[in-house]
Amino acid sequence: ASLTADLSRRWEKHRFTSALGYYFAQSGDNKLDKQKTENRFEISAQEDYFFITKLYGYVSGKYEIDEIMQLDHRIRLGAGLGYQWLEGVDVAGLGKMSFNQEVGGAWVKEKYENGYDDDFATVRYAHHYTWDFAKTEGLKFFHNFEYLPDLSDFAENYLIDADIGLSWAFSANWQLLAKFEWDYKSQVAEGVKHSDLRYILGLGYKW
């Protein structure tokens, strides 16, 4: 089961986005066999300020917990510049598309349940793409990607977050969600997987 909530507001010079997600799953047919396969919580927020029509500066933050990955917590704080290549543009009658890219700096701090912790300064690259289908009202394709390599160890210590999926708004605020999420951390606590691939079906609420 999963539950998500999104808040997005756009003004002439400002844009604010925030997201919250809780994901839970277990395997097994009875109480003795049941085992958690997913138990994750995350919340994020970003404020953008547009200097000109397409160029903006941003500040962002994210907090996440993942019991299966033994992640007690991970905190990310960052700032940088972004460019809005498309924003709700109708492309060849296929629907409205948005695409933006961001580059900046960030600080990552994480702690695992076995006591292992890590914190590092990083550069940050991210891109975000959405496509609202013209012929199917409420149906949207989305893709997000984020790459954060350690400034002092680019090749050996880095973090990748990516997702791809579809959402369908069946009412003014509620939406059904189907997506793949992939998290990869090159350096983790002993006994913890580097990669976590999740398939999520759930319900979302959007303001």
Side-chain angles (χ1 to χ4, degrees):
S2 63
L3 182 64
T4 66
D6 298 282
L7 172 63
S8 179
R9 290 290 183 270
R10 180 71 158 94
W11 299 271
E12 182 180 358
K13 291 286 188 178
H14 293 268
R15 177 173 60 195
F16 177 78
T17 54
S18 181
L20 179 149
Y22 176 66
Y23 312 102
F24 179 85
Q26 59 185 11
S27 61
D29 298 325
N30 55 60
K31 291 183 179 180
L32 296 177
D33 294 335
K34 283 185 178 179
Q35 184 177 0
K36 289 182 185 178
T37 57
E38 187 71 43
N39 191 17
R40 176 180 176 82
F41 170 80
E42 59 186 24
I43 185 170
S44 62
Q46 180 165 317
E47 171 74 18
D48 303 327
Y49 178 80
F50 284 80
F51 305 112
I52 55 177
T53 304
K54 294 182 179 294
L55 181 67
Y56 61 91
Y58 72 85
V59 291
S60 63
K62 187 174 184 178
Y63 179 81
E64 51 195 318
I65 301 169
D66 194 324
E67 181 182 349
I68 306 305
M69 296 294 285
Q70 300 180 41
L71 181 66
D72 184 76
H73 66 264
R74 179 185 289 137
I75 302 169
R76 298 186 232 174
L77 300 172
L81 293 174
Y83 195 82
Q84 189 76 46
W85 297 94
L86 300 170
E87 187 173 16
V89 176
D90 190 349
V91 179
L94 297 173
K96 293 182 179 180
M97 300 185 187
S98 298
F99 178 67
N100 60 304
Q101 293 177 292
E102 298 170 347
V103 177
W107 173 73
V108 178
K109 180 176 176 59
E110 56 188 13
K111 182 177 181 181
Y112 289 83
E113 293 174 1
N114 68 353
Y116 174 83
D117 55 33
D118 192 14
D119 65 273
F120 55 93
T122 173
V123 292
R124 174 184 178 269
Y125 167 78
H127 65 244
H128 313 281
Y129 173 75
T130 63
W131 172 15
D132 289 281
F133 292 91
K135 296 185 178 181
T136 309
E137 186 176 355
L139 185 63
K140 176 186 288 188
F141 170 84
F142 60 87
H143 166 59
N144 301 286
F145 177 85
E146 190 174 15
Y147 173 57
L148 300 100
D150 187 341
L151 277 174
S152 64
D153 195 359
F154 260 72
E156 298 296 330
N157 192 21
Y158 55 90
L159 176 66
I160 296 174
D161 279 353
D163 69 15
I164 187 169
L166 293 168
S167 65
W168 177 57
F170 59 89
S171 74
N173 299 105
W174 289 99
Q175 59 184 358
L176 293 175
L177 183 71
K179 68 175 177 175
F180 285 100
E181 282 189 348
W182 180 53
D183 295 339
Y184 184 87
K185 180 64 167 58
S186 59
Q187 292 186 5
V188 296
E190 184 177 353
V192 176
K193 297 186 299 180
H194 292 275
S195 180
D196 186 18
L197 178 64
R198 302 181 294 273
Y199 177 63
I200 295 165
L201 286 171
L203 189 65
Y205 190 85
K206 189 171 184 178
W207 283 270

